[in-house]
Amino acid sequence: MKKALSIVFLFLVFFTNAQSVQSPSKAITLDFKLGESGKPTYSVTYKNQPVILQSDLGVVMKNLGDLATNFTVEGSKITAFSENWKPVLGEQSSIKNQYNELTVSLIQAKTGRKINIIFRAFDEGIAFRYEFPKQKDLNYFIISDEVSEFNLTGNHKVFWIPGDFDSNEYEYNETTFSNIDTKKINLDNGIGVKSIAGQYTIQSPLMMKSVSNLYLNIFEAAVVNYPLMHLDADVTNYKLKAHLVPNAIGDKAYLQAPCVSPWRTIMVSSDARDIVGSKMILNLNEPSKLDDTSWIKPMKYVGVWWEMHVGKSTWDYAGSQNAQNQKTQDLIPSGKHGATTANTKRYIDFAAKNGFDGVLLEGWNVGWEDWYGNWKEEVFDFTTPYPDFNLKEVNAYAKSKGVKMIMHNETSGSVGNYERHLDRAFDLSQRYGYPAIKTGYVGRIIPRGEFHDGQAMVNHFNYVARRAADYKLMINSHESSRPTGYSRTYPNYIAAEAARGNEFNAWSNGNPPMHETILPFTRLLGGPMDYTPGIFEIKMNVYDKTKTAQVHTTLAKQLALYVTMYSPLQMAADLPENYEKYPDAFQFIKDVAVDWDDSKYLEAEPGDYLTIARKAKGSDNWFLGAITDENPRNTEIKLDFLTPGKKYKAIIYQDSKTAHWKNNPISYEIKTIEVTSKSKLQLILAAGGGTAVSIMPVK
């Protein structure tokens, strides 16, 4: 990885109780001051317009009191920083990281304890964190609460999901702030895991549109050795307060000074494109710790996966109803097992024929008969295949076809068991030349009482990525805590699910059409998402006439998601036979890139629509994706991002005039036109629809 050029300037050092720092553009100002009783507080303005009213800062320590009152300022300084760094994989080949930083050093009058509060002002927002210097009585301490507040200026529109410590797999609610209420909504997250913190507790990132039409986002970055931050909403006074996820005995974080908290972030702009295109979360994480990243490669893959979700086959070999407590050699095959040698070879053939890099394999290893909801410590060993899956034969066949395998490690929430087997699982993948592992954490965490979003699990998810790097393996985590930019530090953490993915459309009430227009403003700010797009057979009654579930998009929108939902690990999620029914539409999935030199955020409105164009890495090819919510939409897109003087062939995959996500989802048109940088595209998006465009230079 190339070293970035960094420039740091020291501006001022002072000792007053009130300081300010501005973003490089001077549009955003953060004001710090000590309030009554020596309370540290802050406020934020955007172009002189209040965004965050005066809000308290600080933490509370178990048995040691608070670090939130009785402070005096011991010193302050402002510095400026600017660098350009190159991500290993990303939405653009170079990322600018520029901010002004204010550090306020505080000392508590009675105890003499010290804490530094560090503020960074970027052009798209503000970030702050707590730094605990090494000192006599904070060698080891326990955080029991965090005081951090975000006091809003009015009854904003908010896009929120409930504060479930064990799952982020919910559809978003679009309400005013005063109408946040988890008791009034459907708490179906599809997997029965509900650990709701409180009636008005919601998750970050929280996307908002203010009463004055500013776009706001409250999130966090660089969560390392700390629990995730949820938010308690005071719906009467329009206030938010940090709600740290507890461990099994109610403590929040065990720390040892010197140390730091994660960054708390507030993005703000009058243009929604600035939020969706922000790299602030990545910039707040440490640079890559890997010297050699040549083995980290983007992948486009298919897999033995969707057929289990639609009920065509099963993960387990024998069927859970007759297999509990039996030895593997005694199991009677059900005849519906998906991950067989023969079926895997079929997917390998399909991948090789169509130019895909890999094949995901789920249900290949023993344990699936009794894996979910039984609180068993040891279910999987991650190395023993089922009798009908020949590991060596499949590996040799894939290698002969130039296809890589992605092995699935489902933990069923038994984290201790996975960590005990981790090196054996990674050694297996390394031995067979597999480049990536998909991890899964369905169900309650074992040991009991721990949560997916607690400190212990955050450490686990980060540890798996770090340990995988030792084996030169990439990690794609599912049912994990949501990412907060750690993929910058360990770029082999190539993707994660950590939100309500496409799979919910197969067997639940599904994801509403607006869902994909919100995720880029929330979940994707923290890192790439393995959303698993590309479903062509929209209605599940194709597989079972009694089923009513369906994907809540048109087919054309499924294509557009390859551009709007960024991931360097993209799945063509549907069955091979379904792609063979629609080969002309499937061509876009084969053509679209997964790693990019540049990205242009052309239109954006959370909950309504999104249009993005991306330039393929090392190529002059561009790909455009436009999506809408449940409302049809017409729009005109300028192609002025193309190279002037060049002619391009644009292949447009669009909804037909009669298309509709519910009534007529598999109705699309494909047309080819010649365009230049002076051209404009007229896009017509059906209800729940989208448009995908490949733009390639004319040779």
Side-chain angles (χ1 to χ4, degrees):
M1 186 175 182
K2 294 183 179 179
K3 299 291 184 182
L5 177 62
S6 303
I7 301 174
V8 181
F9 295 103
L10 179 65
F11 284 163
L12 297 170
V13 178
F14 34 64
F15 298 86
T16 63
N17 285 339
Q19 293 91 31
S20 298
V21 63
Q22 287 188 313
S23 61
S25 67
K26 301 188 185 306
I28 300 175
T29 300
L30 178 138
D31 292 307
F32 168 86
K33 71 175 183 178
L34 288 181
E36 294 181 4
S37 303
K39 288 183 178 180
T41 68
Y42 77 103
S43 59
V44 179
T45 58
Y46 175 78
K47 296 182 178 178
N48 297 318
Q49 181 178 343
V51 174
I52 300 293
L53 304 178
Q54 187 172 356
S55 302
D56 289 346
L57 297 165
V59 298
V60 178
M61 300 176 295
K62 185 177 181 179
N63 300 327
L64 290 176
D66 70 64
L67 279 173
T69 57
N70 298 313
F71 281 114
T72 58
V73 174
E74 192 175 39
S76 305
K77 65 178 179 180
I78 290 181
T79 59
F81 181 86
S82 182
E83 70 171 353
N84 288 284
W85 61 278
K86 296 184 180 297
V88 178
L89 306 170
E91 297 176 82
Q92 53 206 62
S93 59
S94 180
I95 294 176
K96 187 173 185 178
N97 183 17
Q98 185 179 18
Y99 57 83
N100 293 327
E101 180 175 284
L102 166 65
T103 300
V104 181
S105 299
L106 302 173
I107 185 168
Q108 205 167 35
K110 292 182 179 180
T111 67
R113 296 189 187 115
K114 298 180 179 182
I115 187 174
N116 300 326
I117 304 179
I118 304 171
F119 302 94
R120 288 184 181 175
F122 298 81
D123 282 341
E124 66 263 51
I126 292 290
F128 65 86
R129 80 183 330 174
Y130 305 107
E131 182 180 57
F132 306 95
K134 188 173 180 61
Q135 49 199 294
K136 187 175 181 180
D137 62 348
L138 284 189
N139 183 49
Y140 172 81
F141 60 104
I142 301 171
I143 298 291
S144 60
D145 194 16
E146 187 173 316
V147 179
S148 306
E149 291 181 341
F150 310 86
N151 294 335
L152 306 176
T153 59
N155 194 17
H156 304 335
K157 180 196 292 185
V158 290
F159 300 87
W160 59 275
I161 58 176
D164 187 333
F165 297 157
D166 270 321
S167 178
N168 34 46
E169 297 182 323
Y170 289 92
E171 57 185 90
Y172 279 88
N173 303 279
E174 180 181 344
T175 71
T176 57
F177 191 91
S178 61
N179 282 322
I180 293 173
D181 187 347
T182 62
K183 287 187 176 181
K184 292 182 179 179
I185 65 164
N186 176 19
L187 291 177
D188 171 32
N189 61 10
I191 59 173
V193 177
K194 298 178 182 70
S195 307
I196 306 300
Q199 184 177 353
Y200 305 110
T201 302
I202 56 180
Q203 295 192 38
S204 73
L206 179 65
M207 186 65 201
M208 296 175 279
K209 188 173 184 179
S210 77
V211 291
S212 57
N213 292 319
L214 291 179
Y215 297 91
L216 307 175
N217 186 285
I218 293 177
F219 194 21
E220 59 182 335
V223 181
V224 178
N225 193 32
Y226 211 82
L228 290 189
M229 178 184 72
H230 292 225
L231 298 165
D232 288 333
D234 179 343
V235 296
T236 302
N237 297 301
Y238 314 135
K239 294 183 177 183
L240 294 161
K241 178 185 172 297
H243 186 129
L244 302 183
V245 176
N247 65 10
I249 60 173
D251 295 333
K252 307 299 174 61
Y254 301 129
L255 301 176
Q256 187 171 4
C259 59
V260 294
S261 75
W263 294 97
R264 280 61 183 99
T265 64
I266 306 160
M267 298 181 193
V268 55
S269 178
S270 57
D271 190 335
R273 295 176 299 174
D274 294 337
I275 306 294
V276 77
S278 172
K279 299 297 173 284
M280 189 170 120
I281 301 300
L282 281 176
N283 281 333
L284 286 163
N285 280 264
E286 293 185 21
S288 174
K289 293 185 179 295
L290 305 180
D291 294 327
D292 175 21
T293 58
S294 60
W295 49 275
I296 301 173
K297 304 288 187 183
M299 293 184 72
K300 203 186 299 183
Y301 71 102
V302 295
V304 184
W305 179 75
W306 187 248
E307 64 181 68
M308 282 87 89
H309 285 287
V310 301
K312 180 184 175 183
S313 63
T314 62
W315 282 272
D316 59 83
Y317 167 75
S320 58
Q321 69 280 0
N322 61 31
Q324 290 188 16
N325 302 318
Q326 294 186 30
K327 295 181 179 179
T328 303
Q329 61 266 28
D330 297 329
L331 297 179
I332 301 172
S334 66
K336 290 192 67 177
H337 185 216
T340 66
T341 299
N343 197 33
T344 305
K345 285 183 176 181
R346 184 171 71 92
Y347 278 86
I348 291 170
D349 288 339
F350 181 79
K353 176 183 176 182
N354 292 286
F356 285 82
D357 304 296
V359 172
L360 167 68
L361 200 59
E362 292 203 8
W364 65 276
N365 58 323
V366 301
W368 287 90
E369 283 75 29
D370 194 25
W371 72 284
Y372 176 65
N374 292 317
W375 287 91
K376 288 194 172 181
E377 179 73 16
E378 295 189 18
V379 177
F380 300 103
D381 68 6
F382 314 102
T383 57
T384 304
Y386 275 125
D388 60 352
F389 180 72
N390 189 314
L391 195 60
K392 291 183 179 180
E393 183 180 340
V394 167
N395 181 66
Y397 191 78
K399 191 173 182 180
S400 72
K401 297 284 186 174
V403 173
K404 301 288 188 180
M405 301 301 296
I406 302 173
M407 305 307 280
H408 182 224
N409 288 175
E410 176 56 59
T411 68
S412 64
S414 184
V415 180
N417 181 55
Y418 189 42
E419 290 187 354
R420 287 192 294 273
H421 288 86
L422 197 63
D423 284 288
R424 279 168 282 187
F426 287 175
D427 179 69
L428 178 76
S429 289
Q430 186 185 62
R431 207 162 6 106
Y432 283 105
Y434 304 149
I437 286 178
K438 174 182 176 180
T439 58
Y441 297 87
V442 175
R444 303 281 189 178
I445 297 301
I446 305 171
R448 299 188 184 209
E450 296 295 338
F451 296 111
H452 285 72
D453 289 353
Q455 181 186 27
M457 285 305 298
V458 166
N459 289 346
H460 169 80
F461 296 129
N462 290 345
Y463 168 70
V464 170
R466 294 196 304 271
R467 190 65 179 134
D470 295 335
Y471 288 84
K472 295 190 174 180
L473 291 172
M474 297 182 290
I475 292 295
N476 169 26
S477 64
H478 279 231
E479 298 86 32
S480 63
S481 59
R482 46 163 176 69
T484 58
Y486 200 62
S487 58
R488 179 187 181 187
T489 309
Y490 282 89
N492 65 310
Y493 201 166
I494 191 173
E497 183 191 38
R500 193 177 176 96
N502 219 1
E503 66 196 55
F504 279 78
N505 291 307
W507 37 258
S508 76
N509 61 342
N511 304 331
M514 73 172 183
H515 188 66
E516 294 91 354
T517 70
I518 299 171
L519 285 171
F521 291 91
T522 53
R523 159 64 186 83
L524 274 95
L525 293 177
M529 180 178 180
D530 189 27
Y531 188 71
T532 60
I535 304 302
F536 280 14
E537 281 296 352
I538 301 294
K539 294 182 180 289
M540 298 305 110
N541 59 16
V542 170
Y543 309 100
D544 182 343
K545 291 182 180 180
T546 66
K547 289 187 174 183
T548 58
Q550 73 162 95
V551 180
H552 293 187
T553 74
T554 64
L555 186 150
K557 185 176 180 179
Q558 287 291 307
L559 299 179
L561 294 177
Y562 285 93
V563 182
T564 62
M565 302 284 286
Y566 166 67
S567 178
L569 183 74
Q570 286 281 25
M571 186 181 196
D574 212 334
L575 309 182
E577 53 266 35
N578 290 339
Y579 291 129
E580 289 167 351
K581 293 178 187 177
Y582 310 100
D584 52 351
F586 184 51
Q587 187 61 47
F588 181 82
I589 298 179
K590 295 199 292 184
D591 289 340
V592 69
V594 289
D595 194 23
W596 309 99
D597 269 337
D598 198 9
S599 294
K600 304 293 184 183
Y601 306 92
L602 304 176
E603 300 178 307
E605 182 67 30
D608 291 341
Y609 57 82
L610 181 64
T611 303
I612 300 176
R614 303 189 193 272
K615 183 177 180 290
K617 181 69 69 70
S619 167
D620 289 328
N621 297 338
W622 285 82
F623 296 89
L624 183 146
I627 62 173
T628 187
D629 60 1
E630 70 277 7
N631 300 304
R633 185 168 189 267
N634 297 346
T635 185
E636 181 180 85
I637 299 298
K638 295 180 180 180
L639 301 183
D640 53 4
F641 51 83
L642 298 177
T643 302
K646 267 192 176 183
K647 292 181 178 180
Y648 295 81
K649 178 180 71 171
I651 306 174
I652 303 170
Y653 302 78
Q654 63 186 19
D655 297 314
S656 74
K657 293 180 181 178
T658 61
H660 186 281
W661 72 268
K662 187 174 183 180
N663 302 325
N664 194 18
I666 311 177
S667 184
Y668 61 90
E669 300 171 350
I670 302 174
K671 63 179 181 180
T672 301
I673 61 175
E674 189 173 278
V675 298
T676 68
S677 62
K678 297 181 180 180
S679 300
K680 299 177 182 178
L681 290 182
Q682 305 296 325
L683 304 184
I684 302 174
L685 282 65
T691 300
V693 187
S694 61
I695 307 172
M696 303 176 182
V698 174
K699 296 180 181 180

